[in-house]
Amino acid sequence: MNPTVAYTRDGAVALLRINNPPVNALSQAVIEGLSQGVQAFANDADAKALVIACAGRTFVAGGDITAFDAPDFSALPYNAVLARIEALDRPVVAALHGTALGGGMELALAAHYRIAHSRTQLGFPEVKLGLLPGSLGTQRLPRLIGTERALSMIADGQSISAAQALDWGLIDAVSGEESEAAGLKYAQSLLDSQAAVRPTSARSLPASDASQEQQAAQQAQRKGRFYPALSAIVEAVQAASLPFAQGEAIEARLFEALRASPQSRALRHLFFAQRQAARVPGLAQDLVLRSIQQVGVLGAGTMGRGIAINFLNVGLPVLLVEQSAQALEAAVSAIRQIYQANVAKGRLTATDLEQRMGLLSGAVHESALVNCDLVIEAVFEDMALKKQVCARLGAICKPSAIIATNTSTLDVDALAVATGRPQDVVGMHFFSPAHVMKLLEVVRGAQTDPAVIATVMQLARTIGKVAVVSGVCYGFIGNRMAEVYMREAEFLIMEGAAPSDVDAAVEDLGMAMGPCRMLDLAGIDVGAKTVIEYGKAGGLPPDASYRALVQKLFAQGQFGQKTGLGYYRYEGRQALPNPAVEVLAQELAQAHGIVRRKDISRGEITERLLYPLINEGARILAEGMAYRPGDIDVVWTAGYGFPDHVGGPIFMADEVGLPQIVQRMAHYAQTRGNAYGYWTVSPLLQSLAEQGRRLSDWKAPA
Ligand SMILES: NC(=O)c1ccc[n+]([C@@H]2O[C@H](COP(=O)([O-])OP(=O)(O)OC[C@H]3O[C@@H](n4cnc5c(N)ncnc54)[C@H](O)[C@@H]3O)[C@@H](O)[C@H]2O)c1
């Protein structure tokens, strides 16, 4: 028999046990094994009921996502196995534990009865990959729990608890016992009560209120514009009101269209890119990680506070160090306020709040950091200050401690040298708000101990971050690319585009926020200071108009949202035109000989914002600052609100076509001039375009 599925008997009850570690994912072998097992049961007249359960830590937790890329992929063989399970003439029980997801849920739905361990999570995450459950999840689920709940469950992609599933009638029983034993007992009880077979597909849809159903459909599609899966899910789930075979055909057609859609391909690309990003090439398997029991955060401003919350949330004690008792007090109360807001929203209990605050301590002198295993500095972005701070940390911190810097742009190697122990130093670049944003850039210095990198990557997982390793360069991966994006945003405004035109062009593609709104939120002062610092370090091009607008706004005290004036004028949260920007743009254009135009199109804005950014990404790859193309896509989607449905800037570049990008870069070099190399195509991009290859598939030479 197939090694992944075993058929055994326990008295009158037969058992099909799937054993495909680590998560019992559906594979070709599992599907074949199930098919053979069903046949064995069909032939075994003495067996009166069948239990389907899984070995290991979970019930089937999904399908093999790589299989979706195969040109001949078809959900139909699995559907056929499920149909045969459902058509069996004796009761079939699915016994769930762990996470029953996607194809696992569809297996459970094809059984006649379902019992779950009390800690089971049940869900359909397909939507996160731009898909719908393609093996009749959209047809069987509504027959059990009704259209509205099925819509919300499939369109949200979030899992529900066993208790919730029982309440909704998705499962028939919950047990604290080990799932297989519980399943066998449950099957015996069905036999004792002479329970009948109960095919889900033969059930009629529970009655529902039309207006509530419509509301659920609207809710499911609220993010709809860029996500065709959502409207397809609504259509498929609504088709459950039709005879089963008709619904099945509709689901199959919609699934196939989604599988081939650019959005789903992009989301699948990101799914794999995120997993890859967690792997650091060249790290020995047997590295001994450093133990992190106590975290110190030096500088508790905007970033330090958010950083601290990450660790408190997972039960790690944090010591905050500030310059004065007053500053410390302000930070502690700001953290409490953030937690209180979560309590008010019902996301946290008052007990959790106190527990987390109980892990927080403070000091006004760096010497208090002596017992910390990890110290993250988040003081002002000023090289001289950071070097002094790092030198002191190098002397104070215990020998096994990791010293991390949250700098956005400064040279991590220079800071590492300043500590006198560069092997212990790493960049941990959090994004604002640090307790919310998923991305963590882990900056690997020239001398960083591999164990430090491995420890920080592990810690990132613990605090729920998506970590990407970057080499040391100005702005690392994300901000280095953002720099050219901001540069073009400013030039476009100086040439005559309004900030709202610039933002709208990329927001229309699905970018969470255009560059002007983003800088207003982050702070024009923060942005201007990095430009000024970079200038001091000799990094800027010899172009007097380079990011001149942001520096002027800064000089005028227009810091963005925090002062109510920046690229926009703010009334509450509403962003209105700031007339001063237009005046400044005209003055700067005149001062720097920039021609003002009225004919700046959406297309030009999009190309000028995104193509240099992609080009910079190619340079980052060629220089080895990012390990792989997918890492760049993860940085931009997890940290900068780049639309996931286009897969990130690199994946998008391939979809647009590299030759097209190269050609448009040449066009702008000609029309805008290229005195400072702004439109010089990276040799890597150029050569891949010439060879007709994709940037996403590029691998660094070994
Ligand atoms: N704000 C952002 O969006 C953002 C994003 C990523 C990274 N960063 C980086 O994080 C760092 C901090 O930025 P921020 O926005 O939180 O700045 P901030 O001005 O809000 O906070 C800095 C804090 O450091 C404290 N501080 C300064 N010197 C100190 C010292 N010697 N000892 C103890 N405390 C000291 C200050 O009192 C202040 O509270 C910078 O390196 C910045 O580039 C900022």
Side-chain angles (χ1 to χ4, degrees), residues 530-550:
T530 52
V531 177
I532 294 164
E533 276 294 309
Y534 195 33
K536 283 191 209 155
L540 296 184
D543 172 4
S545 66
Y546 185 87
R547 302 208 59 191
L549 186 54
V550 74

Side-chain angles (χ1 to χ4, degrees), residues 2 28 39 68-69 126 159 165 184 244 261 265 269 359 376 395 455 459 477 495 501-502 512 530 539 563-564 676:
N2 183 304
Q28 199 57 36
Q39 191 56 48
F68 295 150
D69 286 328
E126 285 84 348
S159 298
L184 291 170
F244 196 75
S261 69
R265 286 193 298 110
H269 156 76
L359 293 169
I376 304 172
T455 304
L459 192 61
I477 298 173
E495 286 166 36
D501 295 334
V502 172
T530 52
T563 59
Y676 306 104

Side-chain angles (χ1 to χ4, degrees), residues 382-397:
D382 174 316
M383 192 56 160
L385 169 68
K386 291 224 196 237
K387 275 190 176 164
Q388 287 166 13
V389 160
C390 283
R392 290 199 294 272
L393 287 179
I396 293 164
C397 293

Side-chain angles (χ1 to χ4, degrees), residues 382-466:
D382 174 316
M383 192 56 160
L385 169 68
K386 291 224 196 237
K387 275 190 176 164
Q388 287 166 13
V389 160
C390 283
R392 290 199 294 272
L393 287 179
I396 293 164
C397 293
K398 61 183 181 186
S400 58
I402 296 175
I403 302 172
T405 170
N406 182 48
T407 179
S408 315
T409 52
L410 300 175
D411 182 345
V412 172
D413 282 331
L415 295 176
V417 168
T419 63
R421 41 194 280 192
Q423 70 281 2
D424 297 330
V425 178
V426 65
M428 287 178 79
H429 184 214
F430 288 84
F431 289 70
S432 183
H435 58 294
V436 176
M437 294 299 286
K438 280 275 160 218
L439 180 65
L440 177 70
E441 274 183 321
V442 174
V443 186
R444 185 176 191 168
Q447 298 186 62
T448 309
D449 176 3
V452 166
I453 293 290
T455 304
V456 169
M457 293 302 279
Q458 167 78 40
L459 192 61
R461 261 195 297 280
T462 307
I463 61 174
K465 296 289 176 198
V466 174

Side-chain angles (χ1 to χ4, degrees), residues 16-32:
L16 266 187
R17 183 193 295 127
I18 302 173
N19 186 9
N20 187 29
V23 295
N24 290 310
L26 285 178
S27 63
Q28 199 57 36
V30 170
I31 294 172
E32 278 163 21

